[in-house]
Amino acid sequence: MNPLEQNEGTTRKPTPRSPALVVVILFACGIALDRFFSSQFDFWRWELLVLLELLLLIGWLILQRFQSQLALILLCGVISICGSIWHHWFWELIPANHIRNFAGEEATPVRMEAIVLSEPIWKENQLPEFASAWPGSDRTIFQIQSEQLHLHDRTIPVSGRIRLTVSGPLNGVQTGDRILVIGKMRNLQPNRNPGTYDFAEALRRDSVLTTLFCEHAEGVQVLKKADIHIVSWFHRGLDTVRIRIREVFQQTLPSESAAMANALILGDRTQLDDEVNTAFRRSGLMHLLSISGLHVALIGALAGWLACLLGGTSRTFNQFTLAGMTLAWMLAEFRPPVFRAWLLGLMLFWSWTSFRKIRTVQALGLAGWICLIVNPSWLFDVGTQLSFLAIVAILGCWKWMPSLFRNQIETQLLASESTSDSPSSIQRGFRHAIHFLKQTAIISLAITLFLLPILTAHFHLVSLAGIPATVLALPLLAMALPGLILTATIGFFSPAIASLIATPTHYILMLMSELAELFSRGPLQWLPAGMNFWIVTCFCLLAGLLVFLPKQTGIPLKAGISTSWCLLLVVGLSPVPSSFIPQSLECRVLSVGHGNACLMRCPNGRTILFDAGSMENGRFASSAITASLSDLGCNRIDAIVISHTDTDHLNAIPFLMDEIPIHTIFLNPVGLNPRHPGLSVIVEKAAEHQIDLRYLQQDDKISLDLNVRILTRQCGSSPLSESASDNEHSIVMEVEYADCHLLFPADVSGDGQERLFEETSPGYDFLVAPHHGSIKDNTLDFSKWAGAENIVFSTGDENDRDYLTELYSPQQVLWTTAGAVRCRIDAQGHYTVEQWHRNQYWGIPLEN
């Protein structure tokens, strides 16, 4: 052989490159950089970013001919700063006429003209009776584009999106209509507790900064129906299809199945029962119920399968698949995971039709970059993060594992065909089913392990039950989707015929629901004790190495990385608390509206909760407690003290009992009324979850930590009549650690306070004010007796703040309406008091 030919034959192919992946990573880094610096530093402004971009661009143009490596570094900076500029323009820059500038933190009456942007969605009130002191109501929710604000003496043109909530049903309003709205407007408030779902940020990602509430449908009047043009016709057509699909599901399916059908086809989970939502979340099956890229891919595959049944060519198959994915995307509205799946499908379709091969990693990078161009804040959306990381996990899984299974099956088939006993069609089907289940199990395991840090951070739950549950539920989903699509399609013309298809689909959906309920309970779910930042960082680096290492990497190195990866998971997500060494005592007074929730972690890691309730919504208070518990590095509550049986002191406890382990609940004998709605639910759930119920007496001590004294300073002794108020007999708890004293007097009042005055006060370093801050129970006598250095009010009338501040002056006075408050005491008796800031960090107390 010619040496030249031999060299040509042995020349290696160039390594394929993925510039789109590098660009999207740099662009995302720039977005994250802007989000951080904008919230921390005032100098980080639009003008500085533009100047920095120009300097980097000029430097790159000059150096690219002389110093290519340095020019490459500058080019990376150019791309990153582009991301910062784009995000800053989208997130921070607000025009002068934006409606946010005319609203405040408190709700104010307004009269406004606006354009309807989205289909009005009916949301049924699902809070149990005990969960709120005020009767709930059903609501209609949609978005509007503000146009004009009518003041007393003039009309001001305004701009900006608003989330409009109307109490009760609202009929006759469609997308594109011009409406007049009379209601109460306020700006969205930032998260006031660490770790809870940030509703304000989620709406801001959709460019909504303000909310408007109408107490009745008469507050919304249609001034003009939408103009007929191609855009309005398209939007109205989509709304009509969605409404008709909901009607078909309502007519052909029972209510629970209809709600699941709306979630699977339309991405609308507003009608889902809270218990169903909880079961799917705890079982790790929420990704099947929340419409995502998986649903888009399945619907596209069903459309392609239909093309094959019709005898179409491969080109027809591709066209039908893309059409099915496009239909799923439009019906589910503009959701990031669905949009990402559609973009990937579009790129693959282009690759097939143009006969040009595109690498999956390159396509994923392009899809990610387009998503960030459309909305840079999607980088911080948990759905977007999970969607892209799931694809990365699948790529890594298929890189190392599926080829082995595929070879095994091919070997088995060839071995069978080489003998006289060739496999029958049933045997082939059985082998392929086993192969599919193996692949599903491995992919589910890879996705679950890969996404655990994000799932833990956002949902405060580790659920390994999702692995076996997904293996069993995925075939059910593959059968349910075509049934629902056929039901919706045929139901447009004949609901009676559609009912014939809906009946078996209903049983499939109920089987999925039963699976979720089955896997939602057991040892495979636990509340994580929080993950250290460095553990998360190392985990991400090792996960990236696992996915992007070349195939030629040696087995020992891959095994070492995989072992380290699993060890980090075990350490970071273990059901055992992550803190084994003694630490400071920390008490948090959470912001739960008119209510009380004081969570304390002892130095040895054990926890106690003084009251847990909110006048408005006990479920919200429960989520705030769970998030703070995980943030503290704990995963259970050792004791709960219910000071008395007012709704705003106990209605979060039934929700907590379903979510996290609780050892003991201490009751006040004064409030032992079996007909109290909240207390009766607590007793029932305590029996269900085998939680100890005990009552306290005066001078009882709760032993959690040898160095912490938790004393019952005052408590009633016997039940009162139903009509009597038990505020006077509220349990008063005192905590002493390292010569520091904390007092939790609940709603103690009247003679109850007089009994306290008969005893000597040690002088309290931290006091949660009695009865949330009412003037009646915060008297000069109580202020002198307590001698507190730091006083926290869980709520209070704005008109009373001056009085309360003067009453406790010169001590520090804090209100949880501005954010949660925490007190930390070390073993030497040094303590600090901090407050949760609107920029989502603990810092010096805010000016109230």
Side-chain angles (χ1 to χ4, degrees):
M1 180 184 292
N2 190 324
L4 182 60
E5 294 178 357
Q6 184 176 359
N7 290 337
E8 290 178 354
T10 58
T11 301
R12 292 184 179 180
K13 294 182 179 180
T15 303
R17 301 180 184 276
S18 302
L21 181 64
V22 177
V23 169
V24 74
I25 291 175
L26 292 172
F27 199 78
C29 288
I31 293 173
L33 188 72
D34 179 71
R35 176 66 66 92
F36 174 77
F37 278 94
S38 295
S39 63
Q40 300 292 328
F41 306 106
D42 293 333
F43 68 84
W44 191 262
R45 301 174 61 87
W46 169 264
E47 296 84 356
L48 176 65
L49 288 172
V50 173
L51 177 62
L52 187 59
E53 177 74 2
L54 288 175
L55 291 177
L56 289 173
L57 188 59
I58 293 172
W60 172 68
L61 291 173
I62 294 175
L63 293 176
Q64 64 176 336
R65 294 185 179 181
F66 310 103
Q67 293 286 339
S68 58
Q69 293 182 349
L70 184 58
L72 182 60
I73 295 174
L74 292 180
L75 180 60
C76 293
V78 168
I79 298 172
S80 296
I81 298 300
C82 276
S84 298
I85 292 175
W86 181 236
H87 176 265
H88 199 89
W89 179 86
F90 180 90
W91 193 256
E92 298 291 340
L93 298 185
I94 299 174
N97 69 336
H98 197 280
I99 192 62
R100 180 189 182 185
N101 298 325
F102 299 91
E105 293 188 1
E106 299 298 324
T108 54
V110 294
R111 187 167 177 264
M112 177 191 306
E113 291 184 29
I115 304 296
V116 178
L117 293 179
S118 64
E119 170 200 356
I121 300 294
W122 167 264
K123 184 171 178 60
E124 184 179 357
N125 175 53
Q126 294 186 357
L127 274 180
E129 180 185 355
F130 69 84
S132 178
W134 299 312
S137 63
D138 300 334
R139 295 163 291 164
T140 304
I141 303 172
F142 56 102
Q143 290 187 15
I144 58 176
Q145 176 71 37
S146 57
E147 294 283 328
Q148 292 183 338
L149 184 63
H150 297 289
L151 303 179
H152 296 290
D153 54 347
R154 66 189 188 278
T155 298
I156 301 176
V158 291
S159 63
R161 290 187 173 192
I162 298 176
R163 176 187 166 97
L164 176 58
T165 302
V166 181
S167 181
L170 181 65
N171 300 316
V173 176
Q174 294 180 306
T175 303
D177 290 349
R178 189 179 188 89
I179 59 175
L180 176 67
V181 186
I182 300 175
K184 292 184 177 180
M185 179 177 67
R186 64 179 296 185
N187 283 330
L188 288 165
Q189 300 303 305
N191 204 4
R192 290 172 175 162
N193 295 291
T196 52
Y197 178 72
D198 198 333
F199 180 72
E201 181 175 338
L203 285 181
R204 189 173 180 179
R205 282 195 290 267
D206 205 18
S207 301
V208 176
L209 303 177
T210 310
T211 61
L212 183 60
F213 177 75
C214 293
E215 295 183 356
H216 197 274
E218 294 178 356
V220 180
Q221 177 186 352
V222 179
L223 300 177
K224 181 183 177 183
K225 301 302 288 184
D227 296 329
I228 303 300
H229 51 78
I230 186 65
V231 177
S232 66
W233 177 85
F234 177 76
H235 284 296
R236 283 206 168 191
L238 277 180
D239 288 346
T240 301
V241 171
R242 293 191 192 102
I243 292 172
R244 182 55 184 158
I245 289 175
R246 288 192 182 92
E247 291 175 351
V248 170
F249 289 153
Q250 187 175 3
Q251 293 170 1
T252 58
L253 292 167
S255 58
E256 184 176 340
S257 297
M260 290 181 65
N262 288 331
L264 292 172
I265 300 299
L266 302 176
D268 176 18
R269 291 188 289 155
T270 57
Q271 303 302 318
L272 275 174
D273 185 82
D274 287 335
E275 293 184 359
V276 175
N277 250 324
T278 301
F280 272 86
R281 178 175 58 84
R282 290 187 59 82
S283 63
L285 290 177
M286 185 56 79
H287 63 289
L288 299 185
L289 198 58
S290 303
I291 188 166
S292 61
L294 173 64
H295 299 74
V296 175
L298 285 174
I299 293 175
L302 290 171
W305 179 69
L306 178 61
C308 294
L309 289 180
L310 296 176
T313 62
S314 60
R315 186 179 185 86
T316 308
F317 170 83
N318 295 335
Q319 291 172 344
F320 269 63
T321 301
L322 182 62
M325 297 176 68
T326 304
L327 176 64
W329 169 45
M330 290 191 297
L331 289 179
E333 299 181 333
F334 206 57
R335 302 174 190 271
V338 178
F339 183 56
R340 184 271 305 159
W342 180 78
L343 284 174
L344 285 177
L346 182 64
M347 292 177 193
L348 292 175
F349 175 76
W350 171 82
S351 174
W352 290 331
T353 54
S354 63
F355 300 102
R356 296 186 63 179
K357 184 178 180 181
I358 181 171
R359 297 187 69 218
T360 308
V361 174
Q362 178 79 347
L364 186 65
L366 284 172
W369 185 69
I370 293 173
C371 285
L372 294 181
I373 289 294
V374 171
N375 189 331
S377 66
W378 279 353
L379 178 66
F380 308 99
D381 175 66
V382 62
T384 307
Q385 295 170 1
L386 295 175
S387 175
F388 277 93
L389 289 178
I391 294 297
V392 173
I394 292 173
L395 288 177
C397 183
W398 280 104
K399 186 174 184 180
W400 308 110
M401 304 292 292
S403 58
L404 175 61
F405 285 144
R406 185 164 53 249
N407 290 339
Q408 286 179 346
I409 285 188
E410 290 174 358
T411 302
Q412 292 173 3
L413 291 175
L414 289 173
S416 300
E417 291 173 358
S418 64
T419 63
S420 56
D421 299 328
S422 59
S424 64
S425 57
I426 297 178
Q427 290 175 325
R428 289 197 196 95
F430 180 76
R431 289 177 180 176
H432 281 287
I434 296 298
H435 174 54
F436 171 77
L437 291 176
K438 285 183 178 180
Q439 287 183 331
T440 305
I442 290 175
I443 292 175
S444 299
L445 176 63
I447 292 176
T448 301
L449 296 179
F450 203 81
L451 301 184
L452 272 180
I454 293 180
L455 292 172
T456 300
H458 287 277
F459 301 112
H460 310 291
L461 179 72
V462 175
S463 181
L464 298 182
I467 300 169
T470 299
V471 175
L472 297 175
L474 195 57
L476 296 177
L477 179 65
M479 290 187 288
L481 283 178
L484 292 175
I485 293 172
L486 285 176
T487 299
T489 304
I490 298 174
F492 267 81
F493 311 101
S494 176
I497 299 177
S499 299
L500 300 176
I501 303 173
T503 300
T505 305
H506 158 68
Y507 289 111
I508 295 174
L509 293 176
M510 288 300 96
L511 188 54
M512 286 181 61
S513 182
E514 291 295 329
L515 274 176
E517 180 65 28
L518 175 65
F519 283 96
S520 66
R521 302 183 183 275
L524 294 178
Q525 299 91 12
W526 64 85
L527 177 73
M531 288 189 74
N532 182 278
F533 171 78
W534 296 109
I535 291 180
V536 175
T537 303
C538 294
F539 175 85
C540 294
L541 290 175
L542 290 176
L545 288 175
L546 279 175
V547 172
F548 297 108
L549 276 177
K551 290 184 178 181
Q552 296 79 15
T553 304
I555 294 179
L557 179 58
K558 289 191 293 184
I561 294 175
S562 302
T563 304
S564 303
W565 185 52
C566 294
L567 285 176
L568 284 175
L569 275 180
V570 171
V571 172
L573 301 177
S574 170
V576 179
S578 57
S579 251
F580 294 102
I581 59 174
Q583 51 194 330
S584 63
L585 180 144
E586 181 166 337
C587 175
R588 296 187 179 184
V589 185
L590 302 179
S591 179
V592 293
H594 187 102
N596 200 26
C598 303
L599 178 65
M600 189 180 78
R601 181 202 62 198
C602 297
N604 64 358
R606 302 183 73 181
T607 57
I608 183 170
L609 180 63
F610 301 108
D611 287 330
S614 170
M615 192 74 78
E616 296 87 356
N617 190 332
R619 189 186 298 278
F620 165 74
S622 170
S623 65
I625 294 166
T626 303
S628 266
L629 193 68
S630 180
D631 186 56
L632 283 168
C634 307
N635 54 19
R636 59 173 286 159
I637 297 177
D638 295 283
I640 298 178
V641 176
I642 302 177
S643 64
H644 60 299
T645 52
D646 280 359
T647 297
D648 57 335
H649 289 255
L650 59 78
N651 63 357
I653 296 176
F655 300 107
L656 289 172
M657 297 167 83
D658 287 333
E659 291 292 329
I660 57 180
I662 298 173
H663 187 270
T664 306
I665 297 177
F666 293 96
L667 305 172
N668 189 335
V670 168
L672 296 181
N673 177 10
R675 285 186 289 274
H676 187 285
L679 187 60
S680 62
V681 174
I682 289 174
V683 172
E684 291 175 5
K685 288 186 176 292
E688 177 185 350
H689 297 286
Q690 300 180 345
I691 299 172
D692 289 341
L693 292 178
R694 303 180 186 177
Y695 63 85
L696 284 174
Q697 293 290 337
Q698 186 164 333
D699 296 327
D700 282 353
K701 295 180 180 179
I702 300 176
S703 298
L704 295 180
D705 190 307
L706 293 176
N707 298 313
V708 180
R709 186 175 72 101
I710 304 174
L711 173 68
T712 307
R713 191 75 190 250
Q714 181 173 290
C715 183
S717 58
S718 59
L720 298 176
S721 63
E722 294 184 31
S723 58
S725 172
D726 58 357
N727 285 352
E728 174 188 331
H729 301 279
S730 293
I731 294 177
V732 178
M733 300 299 299
E734 179 182 288
V735 176
E736 180 184 354
Y737 174 65
D739 293 329
C740 294
H741 295 82
L742 297 81
L743 186 68
F744 305 91
D747 287 356
V748 67
S749 61
D751 292 340
Q753 289 195 5
E754 293 297 330
R755 289 190 292 272
L756 282 177
F757 299 160
E758 294 174 359
E759 302 177 10
T760 302
S761 165
Y764 294 100
D765 301 281
F766 189 80
L767 165 69
V768 179
H771 212 163
H772 314 289
S774 69
I775 291 181
K776 176 185 175 183
D777 299 317
N778 286 268
T779 62
L780 181 61
D781 289 339
F782 182 86
S783 172
K784 290 181 177 179
W785 174 83
E789 292 293 328
N790 299 273
I791 304 93
V792 179
F793 299 95
S794 60
T795 182
D797 193 329
E798 290 288 333
N799 299 323
D800 300 338
R801 290 198 171 192
D802 292 338
Y803 164 79
L804 294 171
T805 302
E806 183 178 353
L807 174 68
Y808 287 100
S809 178
Q811 285 73 28
Q812 181 169 241
V813 178
L814 303 169
W815 272 265
T816 59
T817 50
V821 177
R822 76 175 179 182
C823 176
R824 306 173 80 179
I825 306 172
D826 64 20
Q828 288 72 41
H830 303 128
Y831 72 88
T832 58
V833 177
E834 298 174 303
Q835 192 159 28
W836 186 250
H837 281 234
R838 62 187 304 119
N839 289 333
Q840 309 303 292
Y841 66 90
W842 291 106
I844 58 173
L846 303 171
E847 295 183 4
N848 290 278

